[in-house]
Amino acid sequence: MKKILLLISIVFVLIPAASAGGSTYGGIVYSVLEDDANIEISAVGGRVGAFLNENFSVEGRVQIGVGDDEGYDSQSAIAYSVEANTLIGIYSRIGFYISPYVYPYGIIGYSQLDYTVESRGGASSISVDDKESSASFGFGVDVSVSKTTLLNICLLYTSPSPRDLSTS
């Protein structure tokens, strides 16, 4: 059973994002991924995109895992750790400027999560690499802090997340 994954990204744009059609943007992305079992892992990477017009853009994101999480299932007496290896996505965004500095948007696309789960119980240990992918959707906002830098916060719901880790 797949779980909902919450992705919170903060982006510092290195290439100016503009409202004119055809403008490109890129930046650094830090993400915190959390599922409904309170497993929390983090990833860092980049995003690159292009505005096709003032209200519509497409972007790609590539990230690598930088933080893992550990837990313990008391029912099965299994300790486990989860690590994101890569998170890759392609998305389209539609939004509008509510001021010259604030751009809220909706986002829809495709995400793929490659991860490793290690379980330890008794004298045995198992390590499994897996990959899950699915449609993703959410919302976000870009807030310009200068002509070349903006802060972005995006909540992205997707189902590529480690399976029920207590039984993996």
Side-chain angles (χ1 to χ4, degrees):
M1 179 176 168
K2 293 184 179 181
K3 298 182 183 327
I4 298 298
L5 181 73
L6 175 62
L7 173 75
I8 302 171
S9 299
I10 299 174
V11 178
F12 300 98
V13 172
L14 304 175
I15 303 168
S19 60
S23 297
T24 59
Y25 59 92
I28 300 167
V29 179
Y30 175 78
S31 301
V32 177
L33 298 81
E34 183 178 322
D35 72 1
D36 59 359
N38 292 322
I39 306 274
E40 190 174 289
I41 52 182
S42 56
V44 68
R47 80 173 187 173
V48 173
F51 276 93
L52 303 179
N53 62 39
E54 184 174 302
N55 301 102
F56 185 75
S57 65
V58 293
E59 73 178 40
R61 298 180 185 187
V62 177
Q63 299 175 64
I64 58 172
V66 293
D68 58 0
D69 197 4
E70 296 182 353
Y72 181 76
D73 183 350
S74 57
Q75 291 179 334
S76 60
I78 294 176
Y80 57 86
S81 66
V82 183
E83 177 182 354
N85 298 325
T86 59
L87 177 62
I88 299 170
I90 182 115
Y91 311 100
S92 58
R93 301 185 330 159
I94 187 164
F96 57 93
Y97 283 92
I98 58 175
S99 82
Y101 306 104
V102 181
Y103 181 83
Y105 61 86
I107 186 169
I108 189 166
Y110 173 83
S111 298
Q112 179 177 293
L113 174 64
D114 180 13
Y115 62 93
T116 301
V117 177
E118 292 182 7
S119 352
R120 299 169 301 281
S124 64
S125 178
I126 299 172
S127 179
V128 177
D129 288 326
D130 204 355
K131 190 178 292 188
E132 295 190 30
S133 56
S134 77
S136 304
F137 64 93
F139 59 91
V141 64
D142 291 342
V143 179
S144 297
V145 294
S146 75
K147 288 185 178 184
T148 60
T149 305
L150 63 81
L151 176 64
N152 167 273
I153 297 176
C154 177
L155 299 175
L156 186 64
Y157 298 92
T158 185
S159 58
S161 67
R163 283 175 269 178
D164 186 0
L165 299 175
S166 62
T167 60
S168 291

